[in-house]
Amino acid sequence: MGKMSVKDWADNVVKEEEIDRYLENGKDFIDHDAIERHLDNNKKPDKIKVRDIIQKSLSIERLDPDETAALLHVEDPELWQEMAAAGLEVKRKVYDNRIVIFAPLYCSNLCVNNCLYCGFRKDNTHEIRRVLTPDEVRMEAESLVKMGHKRLIVVYGEHPSSDADYMAETIKAIYEVREKTRKGTGTIRRVNINAAPLSVDDFKKLWKAGIGTYQVFQETYHRPTYKKMHPVGPKSDYRWRLYTHHRAMEAGIDDVAIGALFGLYHWRYDVMGLLYHAMELEKRFDGIGPHTVSFPRLMPADNAPYSEHTDHLVSDEEFKKLVTVLRLAIPYTGMIVTAREKPDLRKEVIKLGCTQTDASTRIGLGAYSEQYDRQDKERQQFVLGDTRELDDVVRELAQMGMISSFCTAGYRCGRTGDKIMGLLKCGTEGKFCKLNAVLTFREWLDDFSSPETQKIGEELIRKEIGEIRKDAFFRNNPLLKEFEDYYQRVSEGERDLFL
Ligand code: SAM
Ligand code: SF4
């Protein structure tokens, strides 16, 4: 950074030309009036219309704004039940019964922004600030590998001390980790990141470092609320954030993930914002929509007034509704529910068609390797709702008939971007996923599970293999033979075999 002050650095983050070139006639893709109009015109939708929309979603077609607005206004509890069931069906068609497991790793909590809801905001003097060194990051990753994790989302505050070069260095440190497990060797196989918007050149550094998905949340698509919540710093620029996925794609990162922080503005509006975002990415990038959509809910954060007092806090019932509508509106996308939510609600929301969740989560800086209290409020961004261990989450999912997948094959076989979108939309990706989910679940059970989880897991694996053998897609397909061979080898201790 040379002699540049933190303020000068922050003042130079936003590059207008890397916003302007994506605008159409000087406008961005969030058309506030159109969103309001769609929401106004679709109040009290009739049953037949809603059922037609459900059918469209079941054929894995993305819904239009009018259709999505209609679903958002359903009042009949019976229809909500039908929508919830359809959401799970959509998820089964695209992703089968697997849930991808990941863990967050927080590397830094220094931040030049002052988001009014976040414990890391610069004016929060209670927060203990820290930027982990690459060695400390490696130690965190070692602890995560020992727990059985293979896939991380690495999280950074926005600050010159955690710039793109630092991110690239931490990614490298994580990929280098090797830990002995009961039967094999454990590694982190996919590093996704959640970090502030970057320039195209900075994204290229991350791409070179081998990142999986680039995730960033718009927080709210409602401009006046956005402005109020993000008073200073680069994050106060709505459009710099809105077009960050465009820049990431331009730099070669073709898995991008969007999200909104629910509770800042009205949930119906932000569901529409997410839909518009997905439509824009599809339009600009040859049909490649967001790899995942996240819908974090505002949680209490230390010394962050707006984390507990906004006019738009989302109730559990509303939360379930918004997840249901998102599932139906963007049927091909992955959906992430996090440990922000309490165990019972998380379980319910998974049944609405989520595809990914985190486990054994600690969001304090250094909290995995240093083992301090995981709810220590001065060290973390907000308070978690579910701090259960990975083994408990895997067991609960298995009891629900869902297989925990530690698979990272899609990305490593080049099934990303347009390739994965095509496969997802036609249901083929789900087939690969099922095979890889079984292989990684076999590894995990042998390397990490408690006896209780092992027992339930074995039953599930038997059932899965039975289904694979019966599936017409695999009959006379050389993949089946290859799978059986890999399964045998993984059972004998070989690791990281995927299809
Ligand atoms: N600093 C980067 C940024 O803001 O994009 C990336 C990391 S930030 C720590 C990750 C996300 O945490 C934010 O995008 C926001 O949605 C979420 N978050 C912040 N405060 C929260 C709170 N009180 N409750 C729940 N989620 C919160
Ligand atoms: Fe900083 Fe991100 Fe927290 Fe905002 S949400 S204060 S940008 S860490």
Side-chain angles (χ1 to χ4, degrees):
M1 173 175 103
K3 286 208 159 39
M4 201 190 262
S5 70
V6 172
K7 186 177 175 308
D8 286 347
W9 180 88
D11 288 346
N12 280 295
V13 168
V14 175
K15 302 195 170 32
E16 290 300 334
E17 72 281 7
E18 293 198 18
I19 300 173
D20 294 349
R21 66 168 175 257
Y22 303 112
L23 301 176
E24 288 181 58
N25 302 322
K27 289 192 177 149
D28 62 56
F29 58 88
I30 295 299
D31 184 341
H32 170 77
D33 294 342
I35 292 181
E36 293 282 9
R37 208 170 44 247
H38 290 303
L39 286 171
D40 273 351
N41 292 348
N42 287 284
K43 291 187 172 150
K44 299 198 186 309
D46 74 60
K47 263 193 183 178
I48 299 174
K49 179 172 173 184
V50 171
R51 290 197 171 120
D52 285 347
I53 299 172
I54 295 177
Q55 283 312 313
K56 178 173 175 188
S57 179
L58 281 168
S59 61
I60 319 300
E61 254 188 88
R62 198 222 344 104
L63 301 183
D64 295 332
D66 264 323
E67 295 160 338
T68 305
L71 295 189
L72 286 167
H73 282 110
V74 166
E75 280 172 10
D76 181 351
E78 200 190 318
L79 274 182
W80 276 110
Q81 273 183 12
E82 286 177 36
M83 285 159 60
L88 188 56
E89 184 56 28
V90 163
K91 188 244 162 179
R92 282 220 184 94
K93 278 191 182 175
V94 182
Y95 293 92
D96 212 272
N97 63 337
R98 82 195 160 101
I99 301 286
V100 167
I101 304 283
F102 67 94
L105 195 177
Y106 278 67
C107 285
S108 70
N109 62 358
L110 255 80
C111 196
V112 295
N113 299 302
N114 202 32
C115 313
L116 299 183
Y117 46 81
C118 177
F120 292 173
R121 70 196 181 91
K122 77 177 175 59
D123 286 354
N124 179 8
T125 48
H126 299 187
E127 184 79 9
I128 302 169
R129 305 286 172 170
R130 206 169 153 191
V131 178
L132 300 186
T133 63
D135 274 341
E136 287 169 332
V137 172
R138 192 172 295 120
M139 271 151 59
E140 289 286 278
E142 282 165 7
S143 302
L144 284 157
V145 169
K146 282 186 203 147
M147 290 175 188
H149 282 291
K150 310 250 180 280
R151 178 191 278 256
L152 303 183
I153 179 97
V154 185
V155 186
Y156 309 85
E158 183 166 21
H159 195 272
S161 58
S162 55
D163 61 5
D165 293 315
Y166 169 82
M167 290 178 203
E169 226 182 315
T170 52
I171 294 169
K172 184 166 166 275
I174 295 167
Y175 278 133
E176 280 168 5
V177 166
R178 299 273 173 286
E179 283 293 314
K180 277 262 34 80
T181 57
R182 273 187 222 146
K183 251 181 141 176
T185 305
T187 53
I188 295 296
R189 299 174 185 168
R190 177 165 176 140
V191 179
N192 300 332
I193 74 157
N194 181 310
L198 299 172
S199 64
V200 175
D201 282 348
D202 278 349
F203 276 125
K204 285 186 182 156
K205 294 179 186 170
L206 301 188
W207 184 74
K208 269 205 202 132
I211 81 162
T213 305
Y214 170 64
Q215 178 190 63
V216 76
F217 308 147
Q218 186 63 23
E219 319 298 11
T220 176
Y221 290 89
H222 185 250
R223 281 187 193 78
T225 308
Y226 186 93
K227 194 160 187 265
K228 184 168 148 202
M229 292 294 158
H230 308 105
V232 296
K235 193 158 169 182
S236 61
D237 193 317
Y238 178 95
R239 285 180 170 172
W240 177 242
R241 199 164 181 89
L242 197 62
Y243 286 102
T244 189
H245 305 88
H246 291 59
R247 293 190 297 274
M249 297 280 279
E250 205 181 305
I253 300 169
D254 59 4
D255 274 355
V256 295
I258 62 173
L261 181 55
F262 280 91
L264 297 181
Y265 190 59
H266 201 289
W267 59 275
R268 288 196 180 96
Y269 190 97
D270 277 325
V271 168
M272 294 298 284
L274 288 168
L275 177 76
Y276 269 71
H277 207 153
M279 286 170 17
E280 160 75 10
L281 293 173
E282 285 178 23
K283 187 175 104 187
R284 287 289 178 111
F285 301 103
D286 301 326
I288 312 177
H291 186 66
T292 56
V293 174
S294 294
F295 29 85
R297 226 174 11 155
L298 209 49
M299 296 289 142
D302 186 39
N303 204 12
Y306 279 88
S307 64
E308 289 172 84
H309 308 287
T310 75
D311 297 335
H312 300 285
L313 291 182
V314 172
S315 69
D316 289 357
E317 280 316 300
E318 290 166 337
F319 186 61
K320 285 188 263 177
K321 286 182 175 175
L322 74 87
V323 176
T324 304
V325 176
L326 278 171
R327 175 67 294 161
L328 295 173
I330 321 175
Y332 58 78
T333 197
M335 303 230 318
I336 303 181
V337 58
T338 68
R340 288 177 179 83
E341 304 300 337
K342 296 207 161 55
D344 287 347
L345 186 66
R346 176 142 75 143
K347 192 171 167 184
E348 279 189 68
V349 168
I350 284 176
K351 285 195 225 151
L352 296 172
C354 289
T355 61
Q356 294 198 21
T357 198
D358 52 337
S360 56
T361 301
R362 293 176 179 226
I363 58 174
L365 277 281
Y368 292 110
S369 50
E370 294 166 16
Q371 296 288 318
Y372 55 73
D373 179 0
R374 63 176 62 186
Q375 292 290 45
D376 192 346
K377 65 181 177 5
E378 282 84 21
R379 293 174 194 251
Q380 63 186 31
Q381 192 194 9
F382 50 81
V383 179
L384 291 170
D386 185 353
T387 54
R388 284 175 302 163
E389 295 301 337
L390 178 54
D391 188 71
D392 298 322
V393 173
V394 171
R395 187 168 60 252
E396 180 181 270
L397 289 169
Q399 279 159 344
M400 291 158 71
M402 295 192 181
I403 188 158
S404 297
S405 174
F406 296 88
C407 166
T408 52
Y411 145 80
R412 289 148 86 214
C413 296
R415 291 199 298 276
T416 58
D418 57 343
K419 288 173 239 53
I420 198 165
M421 278 297 148
L423 293 169
L424 285 172
K425 288 176 183 168
C426 71
T428 307
E429 181 62 12
K431 304 288 183 195
F432 279 102
C433 289
K434 197 173 179 76
L435 304 181
N436 288 319
V438 170
L439 293 175
T440 57
F441 197 47
R442 176 76 272 152
E443 289 186 345
W444 194 86
L445 287 177
D446 290 344
D447 281 342
F448 302 103
S449 68
S450 65
E452 206 187 341
T453 305
Q454 174 104 25
K455 195 159 156 268
I456 297 164
E458 294 297 344
E459 275 168 40
L460 184 59
I461 275 207
R462 264 197 300 280
K463 189 173 141 279
E464 292 294 304
I465 294 181
E467 281 177 18
I468 291 169
R469 287 184 181 143
K470 270 193 261 151
D471 190 329
F473 178 85
F474 293 118
R475 214 166 295 138
N476 303 323
N477 187 331
L479 259 183
L480 180 61
K481 166 100 196 34
E482 212 175 334
F483 164 74
E484 305 252 7
D485 171 45
Y486 278 15
Y487 185 78
Q488 184 59 34
R489 286 162 58 189
V490 167
S491 307
E492 286 161 10
E494 230 178 295
R495 290 289 169 262
D496 206 12
L497 298 175
F498 52 86
L499 296 152

